[in-house]
Amino acid sequence: MKKNLVIFFLTTFLVSSSLADARQNDLLNLVEVLNDNGTITTMQYEELKDGLSANTPVQKDPEITDVQVSTKGGIEIATCDGQYAFELGGRLMVDAAFYDQDRNDHGNGTELSRVRIDIEGVLHGDWGYELGIDFADGGADIKDAYVSYDAFWPAKIQIGQFKEPFSLEALTNSKYITFMERALPHEFAPGRSIGVGARSHGDVWSAAAGLFGEAFDDDVKDEGDEGWGMTGRATFSPLHSETRVMHFGAAASFREPNDEKKVRFNQRPESHITDIKYLDTGKIDHTDRVMKYGLEAAGVFGPLSLQGEYISTNVSRDGGSEDCSFDGYYVYVSWFATGETRPYKEKKGGFGRIKPKSKNGALELAARYSMMDLNDGSITGGKEENSTFGVNWYINPHTRLMANYILVNNDKHADADGDLAGNDDPKIFQARFQIDF
Amino acid sequence: MKKNLVIFFLTTFLVSSSLADARQNDLLNLVEVLNDNGTITTMQYEELKDGLSANTPVQKDPEITDVQVSTKGGIEIATCDGQYAFELGGRLMVDAAFYDQDRNDHGNGTELSRVRIDIEGVLHGDWGYELGIDFADGGADIKDAYVSYDAFWPAKIQIGQFKEPFSLEALTNSKYITFMERALPHEFAPGRSIGVGARSHGDVWSAAAGLFGEAFDDDVKDEGDEGWGMTGRATFSPLHSETRVMHFGAAASFREPNDEKKVRFNQRPESHITDIKYLDTGKIDHTDRVMKYGLEAAGVFGPLSLQGEYISTNVSRDGGSEDCSFDGYYVYVSWFATGETRPYKEKKGGFGRIKPKSKNGALELAARYSMMDLNDGSITGGKEENSTFGVNWYINPHTRLMANYILVNNDKHADADGDLAGNDDPKIFQARFQIDF
Amino acid sequence: MKKNLVIFFLTTFLVSSSLADARQNDLLNLVEVLNDNGTITTMQYEELKDGLSANTPVQKDPEITDVQVSTKGGIEIATCDGQYAFELGGRLMVDAAFYDQDRNDHGNGTELSRVRIDIEGVLHGDWGYELGIDFADGGADIKDAYVSYDAFWPAKIQIGQFKEPFSLEALTNSKYITFMERALPHEFAPGRSIGVGARSHGDVWSAAAGLFGEAFDDDVKDEGDEGWGMTGRATFSPLHSETRVMHFGAAASFREPNDEKKVRFNQRPESHITDIKYLDTGKIDHTDRVMKYGLEAAGVFGPLSLQGEYISTNVSRDGGSEDCSFDGYYVYVSWFATGETRPYKEKKGGFGRIKPKSKNGALELAARYSMMDLNDGSITGGKEENSTFGVNWYINPHTRLMANYILVNNDKHADADGDLAGNDDPKIFQARFQIDF
């Protein structure tokens, strides 16, 4: 016996109640006509009319609230009064990479790069939460895990683990990024930490700031305090119509590391199946504090869009060690051969989901140049310049096939902190199939 | 295209069918009046009346069962016949702690203390399951994972991993405990193990007992058998009205350790962000069996409540090693400034969710004294006495802000099994923000 | 305040709209009668009639789609147009094992052998996904994680991690296997890998093939490429009625290992609580490629069924090392004392869920003989022959109690690659309680 249910939509109610009202009027008309004609007596008329008006609709129990249930591959439920909601979705990304090696060995192979479950909800109207867990490594990596409060107008408060507000590309959901991996300077972005933040926005601006400890998995041993930081970002979009966007942003982040006083910057060559990180400063000791600055700009002109960021990182050291400073940037251009436009989300100052115009999906061509320089003074973490060419086929709004070809250009210091040969210039072909629900 | 659905409540049915019935009567009345008046002929009257009675409602397909769907931030679905149900919820707790250090270093910091997904359901009426997984450590820690059977009257049977029935505070859900961490003697409570149990209850009593192996992650190497144990608990509540509760309980637990024959007791200072466990017996070898006894009492008098427990643990050793015995207790008082009452669940012999009376939430003040003594004969695990002061703000039934201030008083043996300085008396301030759905 | 909803079935719509239509006709009849009688004037008649016909039913918004929601212990939602669906279920298996030891020590104990959450869904009609994660080890082990595409007629395409199509027993869901553990030669089956596959089927046949990398957790270090393989299977079922099935199948699998060029075959004695793997070749180096061949047959004759498989594995080695070849097989018979029949799924060439005929459930008796031989030339991995007797009580379609008694017969080489005494012949009793939802 199948326990099942076919639910029907509000037309049920509309049809039945509007018809009922209509019928009520029909009858009343008829009864009045009969009375006018003298066909029925006044007493009969009154009786009939009273009978009609007694049939008032049954009142709905105010304790019981209507809900909406829907699916776009996941599940969503919300009460119609907006007080409670729940949504479960996820994403699955399957990657393969082939390395045209130069001086060091990479391993061709396959990978599940993201196997993510995302839950979010609303409670008591003003409270929300978001919880994302990634299983791709065979463990369970907590991504977003925060509570938000909306009624402290005009700001939205967040408590828990979430992305520090820094870098347009870092803040763009991995489901929507234009290339398979974010650009080299993404290593400088602070990522997710546990903390408290606030965000607000107007018509042409957004701002977010927060006070943060470390991420859930960065706990230092007992002996020392955790590091902490403050990060803020502001964006300005003087123009954002459906097909035209101009976006500018700036961000700054201060961080004091934990009592070990060490920081390390290292980065893969925009390819995740290899574990090689050419760029690697090693652990920089005597680190007193780290300041980061980011500048971002983006423009959308119908199917064409441009985006770029520059990030500078300054490490202040004590104990006689010299300060050091690193930076990186990227610029890219994307063009939809099928005419779609990258959708701008002015509230967050970022980009969202592509919805193909055609049944055959959307086709996007893109090219990116990125640079990251980890050489400064006695720190020789290496310098890398990558040129990437990408094709994305958005088969439908939830399914995407991506292919990237990357030309890597390393300097002699880009030797994985001494473990590899420098001046290695491999070429990488990688592809991804992704679905989200 | 948004695949969506607005579901309307049974008023739809009631409105339409009651109006329909009403309308049917209206028409019948009218038709009879017309017939009485001689306006219509008897034949016409009969025809009209037949036409009306022919409109019988469509019968519902008995194979198809109605379901209830709802959300309070998570999702719940149940068939109206009670045979099947499913519920998905979770909890998120974000902590921060600051240590006013004395002789040893702790690390201030933040933590996601619980990131939990809970699933439960009902199958074929009498069968149920519960499954809880905690991701807070970056792994996936199985909490409850059991099947239950209700129809073996008067007891409920449980198979799988669940909490051994021991200690009022241990059995109280972490969502509902009064202080951020359970009291020191919680270390003695057996916690969750894989086994078979039964529980039953009357109006003024509850009882539970079980036979257990070890928890899913306590597997010993191949060479040796797992440990096993038996645990039972009985509670008595001669009085439990909405605002008055008297609760008494007693529990006992026997355990034979695995073939390594070792047990260890150690405990943090009621604060989880530090990893320091002052109290630590080290591994006690030649352990033949462990017996634990617990006594518990609680009283609720409107907004005021008292709760206390005493637990004694006796380690029987062979091979000429002397037996040893440890114990601990706690007492606490809680008062709701806003007038709420801690809700007693007589079936389980424990406490449940606080629901604020006011829009501004509920405010609870609480104080606890706890003691744990791991010194006996040649075992010098240390003795600790903590005084804790707590404030809880229940913003709404699902959101709570907690703050605890703990005065720690260690003796000279409370030195983390020799790793730290003894007689350390730090003060701890910690806060938690929690949401459950 | 309980946010809740009772959803009523389409009778709501049918009742109200059919009654409404009926009422419309009733009124029209009445009005016409009144006109015929001359009780009302022609003008009045026309007015009334116009009023009636103006009440056309409200059109349903074509953007809004009806959904079905149901539960059988988990949750299912689907749009009525079949374009979108989501399902969340799971399984929980609780095991205990007792070892009647012979020459080596095993550890009696308990285990959660499977704690699995399974999600699957449909997007945009033709696209589907499946995602299964097992938490039983305290980690998060990704099982199925793939996307499928159905509209590339006549084949179904799969991308991601899924079972390579090889071996009837390997492809049978763990919820439905006849014994607690699959037979010894299951070690030869390739299991789940990341890759691309296609499957198709006719009325009496099914076929599946794929190109695979390695599983998500088998990544080799950077220096070397991943292994890769190709696997295909075809099945033939000239007869499959509800109570009679004849099934034949053959499969082949090629694999080139990763750059370490090593393979290892080892296997537990059809019992999972022990970690002892008597059979163990150790790492076989200089492995150039591995070819596997499988033959399978099954027959169902009402409550009686027979099943057997033979798998041969051939390791080609270079560098002067000699090739080696191993094999294994099993045969089993199962009989339902309560008259049920094992259900055949011709599309997949495999077996599915047992649904008890009686309220008291179904009782199955089964016996299996299995053999695996890992001795060849200089490789002495051992040979094992097991006889297993099993009883399964299917309490309801989602709950099963299993008990297995295994007589193990090892040869002198079955010594866990030298770690244990050979010629060990223990007896094993193990039981499982399982629920799925």
Side-chain angles (χ1 to χ4, degrees), chain B residues 303-377:
Chain B
L304 189 74
S305 77
L306 295 167
Q307 181 174 321
E309 292 191 71
Y310 170 82
I311 305 178
S312 157
T313 293
N314 305 290
V315 180
S316 299
R317 302 166 76 193
D318 54 21
S321 301
E322 58 173 339
D323 293 357
C324 50
S325 176
F326 312 115
D327 64 0
Y329 62 89
Y330 74 87
V331 289
Y332 78 73
V333 57
S334 142
W335 177 66
F336 278 94
T338 43
E340 286 77 6
T341 299
R342 289 179 75 205
Y344 186 71
K345 305 291 172 191
E346 60 271 20
K347 291 185 186 177
K348 292 193 170 183
F351 290 94
R353 183 188 299 276
I354 297 294
K355 291 180 184 163
K357 289 180 167 183
S358 146
K359 287 260 174 195
N360 296 319
L363 187 72
E364 181 182 25
L365 304 176
R368 180 172 70 186
Y369 174 82
S370 63
M371 190 282 288
M372 185 169 176
D373 184 354
L374 295 182
N375 296 324
D376 188 34

Side-chain angles (χ1 to χ4, degrees), chain B residues 219-434:
Chain B
D219 289 341
V220 71
K221 293 273 162 56
D222 305 320
E223 302 79 30
D225 293 341
E226 262 187 37
W228 67 278
M230 288 186 299
T231 298
R233 175 180 181 249
T235 71
F236 177 57
S237 52
L239 171 67
H240 57 261
S241 69
E242 268 196 30
T243 57
R244 291 276 183 286
V245 178
M246 288 183 68
H247 164 97
F248 303 98
S253 180
F254 164 89
R255 179 158 285 271
E256 185 178 300
N258 68 40
D259 287 1
E260 291 182 347
K261 305 193 74 160
K262 289 176 183 167
V263 290
R264 179 178 192 165
F265 300 98
N266 56 15
Q267 177 66 303
R268 286 186 176 83
E270 296 174 344
S271 178
H272 193 268
I273 288 181
T274 181
D275 284 335
I276 288 180
K277 297 180 172 182
Y278 290 111
L279 299 179
D280 191 348
T281 61
K283 289 192 177 178
I284 302 173
D285 56 11
H286 296 292
T287 297
D288 199 43
R289 58 181 194 274
V290 179
M291 273 302 304
K292 295 169 176 179
Y293 303 98
L295 289 174
E296 51 187 74
V300 175
F301 317 97
L304 189 74
S305 77
L306 295 167
Q307 181 174 321
E309 292 191 71
Y310 170 82
I311 305 178
S312 157
T313 293
N314 305 290
V315 180
S316 299
R317 302 166 76 193
D318 54 21
S321 301
E322 58 173 339
D323 293 357
C324 50
S325 176
F326 312 115
D327 64 0
Y329 62 89
Y330 74 87
V331 289
Y332 78 73
V333 57
S334 142
W335 177 66
F336 278 94
T338 43
E340 286 77 6
T341 299
R342 289 179 75 205
Y344 186 71
K345 305 291 172 191
E346 60 271 20
K347 291 185 186 177
K348 292 193 170 183
F351 290 94
R353 183 188 299 276
I354 297 294
K355 291 180 184 163
K357 289 180 167 183
S358 146
K359 287 260 174 195
N360 296 319
L363 187 72
E364 181 182 25
L365 304 176
R368 180 172 70 186
Y369 174 82
S370 63
M371 190 282 288
M372 185 169 176
D373 184 354
L374 295 182
N375 296 324
D376 188 34
S378 62
I379 309 287
T380 53
K383 179 182 172 182
E384 184 171 329
E385 295 167 281
N386 289 357
S387 301
T388 305
F389 302 93
V391 184
N392 298 328
W393 178 26
Y394 299 81
I395 303 171
N396 59 49
H398 298 92
T399 310
R400 179 166 68 156
L401 183 62
M402 307 178 81
N404 284 183
Y405 184 69
I406 308 167
L407 303 169
V408 179
N409 180 8
N410 282 307
D411 77 352
K412 65 179 177 183
H413 298 303
D415 55 5
D417 201 25
D419 290 342
L420 297 177
N423 277 321
D424 191 16
D425 300 333
K427 296 175 187 68
I428 304 170
F429 176 77
Q430 55 191 6
R432 169 174 296 167
F433 191 84
Q434 91 177 46

Side-chain angles (χ1 to χ4, degrees), chain A residues 255-434:
Chain A
R255 178 159 285 272
E256 184 179 299
N258 67 39
D259 286 2
E260 291 183 346
K261 305 193 74 158
K262 289 175 183 166
V263 289
R264 179 177 191 164
F265 299 98
N266 55 15
Q267 178 65 302
R268 286 186 175 82
E270 296 173 344
S271 178
H272 193 268
I273 287 180
T274 181
D275 285 334
I276 287 180
K277 296 179 172 183
Y278 289 112
L279 298 179
D280 191 349
T281 60
K283 288 191 179 180
I284 302 174
D285 55 13
H286 296 291
T287 298
D288 199 44
R289 57 182 194 273
V290 180
M291 272 303 304
K292 295 170 176 177
Y293 303 98
L295 289 174
E296 49 188 74
V300 175
F301 317 96
L304 189 74
S305 76
L306 295 166
Q307 180 174 322
E309 293 190 73
Y310 170 81
I311 305 178
S312 157
T313 294
N314 305 291
V315 180
S316 300
R317 302 166 77 193
D318 53 22
S321 301
E322 57 174 338
D323 293 357
C324 50
S325 175
F326 312 115
D327 64 359
Y329 62 89
Y330 73 87
V331 288
Y332 76 74
V333 57
S334 142
W335 176 66
F336 277 94
T338 43
E340 287 78 6
T341 299
R342 287 180 76 207
Y344 186 70
K345 306 291 172 192
E346 60 272 19
K347 292 185 187 178
K348 292 192 170 184
F351 290 94
R353 182 187 299 276
I354 297 293
K355 291 179 183 162
K357 289 179 167 183
S358 146
K359 288 260 174 196
N360 296 320
L363 188 71
E364 181 182 25
L365 305 175
R368 179 172 70 187
Y369 174 81
S370 63
M371 189 283 287
M372 185 170 177
D373 184 354
L374 295 182
N375 297 324
D376 188 34
S378 63
I379 309 287
T380 53
K383 179 182 172 183
E384 184 171 329
E385 295 166 281
N386 289 356
S387 302
T388 304
F389 303 93
V391 185
N392 298 328
W393 178 27
Y394 300 81
I395 304 171
N396 57 50
H398 298 91
T399 311
R400 178 164 70 156
L401 185 61
M402 307 179 80
N404 284 182
Y405 184 69
I406 307 167
L407 303 169
V408 179
N409 180 9
N410 282 309
D411 77 353
K412 66 179 174 182
H413 297 303
D415 56 4
D417 201 25
D419 290 342
L420 297 176
N423 278 320
D424 191 15
D425 300 333
K427 297 176 187 68
I428 304 171
F429 176 78
Q430 55 192 7
R432 169 174 296 167
F433 190 85
Q434 93 179 44

